[in-house]
Amino acid sequence: MEITIPWLLSQILISLMIKKTESTITNFTKSEKSFDILIQVGEQHSASTRQFQALQVIASITHPGVPVIKAYSWAANCDTSNHANIRISPQLVYNSILVLKFHNPGAALGCVNLLRKNLDDFLTANGSRIPKELTIKWFTSSKSKDIHLSAPAIVTYHQQYRQIQEAGLAELQAYRKIFNLTEIQMNWLLTYMRYWSILRQCCGGHAAEIWKKQLNGAKIETESMTDWVYPACEIYNLTAVEQSLRIVVKSAVFGPSLQNVTLSKYNGSFCMEGIKKLMKTKVHKSFGSSLR
């Protein structure tokens, strides 16, 4: 990776931000959780993964001392074998914060009902006379319409795709009031999601289609570059962006769960390896700066 003065200055600023924040961290225990489960239900291609990721970051920021488990499921029995292969047990629900993603509202409701029953049975079997009432927050996303959930599910926040197109990272300000985030916590959420969003659009299998075409020599018309959703991947040093995310997430403000997941996926070569897989032909010389 090419080391530049602006990049070095950015790393110094991140390090100073980390030191300033770590002295203000409050470590919660499982008995002090302000919520147990955050559920994202969204249409495909509605930026549902973006909301899902933001919820994991928020859970980690607000509860750095509590394990945060993130999983995706299609099934009403909470099966996650097609994503993280995590067995969602009563013990896991009791000791952790779950961040779950579904594309099917019915499956999400079925999973929650099963979790409630299993947790009540677990607590009763272990001598608790009062079953724990799960605190669940529901979040939805769609491209053109609301996602309707049956009672008693009340949607905390609905993300509309157009809002993200127009507002970008500023759309995340909606979560500040929902979770009573401090200014420092909000800054960390925005910082993490800034780098994550670039890597999501420019690296790996979920990269923007127009970037995939660019990587394979397609000429992009100027009109396309003025589109709301144009990712502009060619302007970034993507290896540096990945390294910046790795530095940011090492702050204790996020807690070990998010740190482990992030550092494992974005291992320093994720983007470069992902781009190599996307390239079916030799990359155009003008994109060389993005591949360092």
Side-chain angles (χ1 to χ4, degrees), residues 26 32 41 52 96 116 166 187 191 211 226 231 254 267 270 288:
T26 300
E32 298 171 321
V41 182
F52 184 39
S96 312
R116 284 197 174 105
E166 295 177 350
N187 287 341
T191 300
W211 175 233
T226 64
F254 290 110
N267 57 12
F270 169 83

Side-chain angles (χ1 to χ4, degrees), residues 9-291:
L9 289 174
S10 71
Q11 306 316 300
I12 292 171
L13 289 173
I14 290 171
S15 298
L16 291 174
M17 185 178 176
I18 289 173
K19 289 181 179 179
K20 180 180 178 182
T21 304
E22 288 181 345
S23 62
T24 67
I25 295 173
T26 300
N27 286 317
F28 291 84
T29 64
K30 59 180 178 293
S31 61
E32 298 171 321
K33 293 186 295 182
S34 55
F35 49 82
D36 296 292
I37 305 175
L38 302 179
I39 295 183
Q40 198 287 326
V41 182
E43 292 181 327
Q44 295 188 40
H45 309 298
S46 66
S48 58
T49 300
R50 177 185 184 272
Q51 187 178 51
F52 184 39
Q53 184 65 41
L55 292 173
Q56 184 193 19
V57 176
I58 290 169
S60 300
I61 289 174
T62 54
H63 298 78
V66 178
V68 176
I69 309 299
K70 169 186 169 185
Y72 167 73
S73 177
W74 282 93
N77 66 355
C78 304
D79 176 34
T80 63
S81 58
N82 64 338
H83 180 258
N85 202 22
I86 297 169
R87 182 175 178 271
I88 302 179
S89 65
Q91 295 93 325
L92 192 66
V93 177
Y94 183 71
N95 292 309
S96 312
I97 290 175
L98 299 184
V99 184
L100 304 178
K101 177 184 176 182
F102 297 84
H103 284 307
N104 185 308
L109 290 164
C111 176
V112 166
N113 291 334
L114 181 63
L115 290 177
R116 284 197 174 105
K117 180 181 184 304
N118 288 348
L119 182 60
D120 289 350
D121 292 346
F122 168 74
L123 293 174
T124 302
N126 284 273
S128 175
R129 296 182 178 180
I130 304 176
K132 175 179 171 57
E133 179 60 33
L134 291 175
T135 302
I136 302 172
K137 292 183 182 294
W138 293 80
F139 298 82
T140 57
S141 65
S142 67
K143 296 200 73 169
S144 58
K145 60 182 182 299
D146 292 342
I147 299 292
H148 296 288
L149 297 168
S150 302
I154 299 175
V155 176
T156 303
Y157 176 67
H158 178 73
Q159 170 192 281
Q160 292 184 339
Y161 190 68
R162 185 66 180 178
Q163 289 176 302
I164 297 174
Q165 289 180 303
E166 295 177 350
L169 285 173
E171 184 270 340
L172 294 169
Q173 290 288 345
Y175 297 94
R176 184 170 189 170
K177 184 176 181 180
I178 293 171
F179 292 98
N180 195 29
L181 300 178
T182 65
E183 183 177 354
I184 291 177
Q185 289 173 327
M186 194 68 220
N187 287 341
W188 279 110
L189 171 62
L190 292 171
T191 300
Y192 184 101
M193 292 302 294
R194 177 189 301 121
Y195 296 124
W196 180 90
S197 297
I198 294 170
L199 296 176
R200 172 77 175 177
Q201 289 190 299
C202 302
C203 310
H206 294 285
E209 289 300 319
I210 195 168
W211 175 233
K212 294 177 184 178
K213 293 177 181 178
Q214 285 175 289
L215 286 173
N216 288 283
K219 181 180 178 181
I220 304 302
E221 300 297 330
T222 304
E223 289 76 12
S224 298
M225 300 173 72
T226 64
D227 194 289
W228 284 105
V229 295
Y230 182 70
C233 297
E234 72 277 5
I235 71 173
Y236 298 108
N237 180 330
L238 294 170
T239 302
V241 173
E242 184 173 354
Q243 184 61 26
S244 294
L245 179 60
R246 287 176 56 80
I247 292 173
V248 164
V249 81
K250 288 178 182 178
S251 168
V253 70
F254 290 110
S257 297
L258 183 65
Q259 290 171 345
N260 293 338
V261 170
T262 301
L263 294 174
S264 176
K265 179 173 182 178
Y266 301 106
N267 57 12
S269 60
F270 169 83
C271 201
M272 185 57 121
E273 294 302 318
I275 284 177
K276 287 179 180 177
K277 292 178 181 178
L278 294 176
M279 292 168 56
K280 297 178 181 178
T281 61
K282 187 176 180 180
V283 67
H284 192 278
K285 291 181 180 179
S286 63
F287 303 124
S289 62
S290 298
L291 305 180

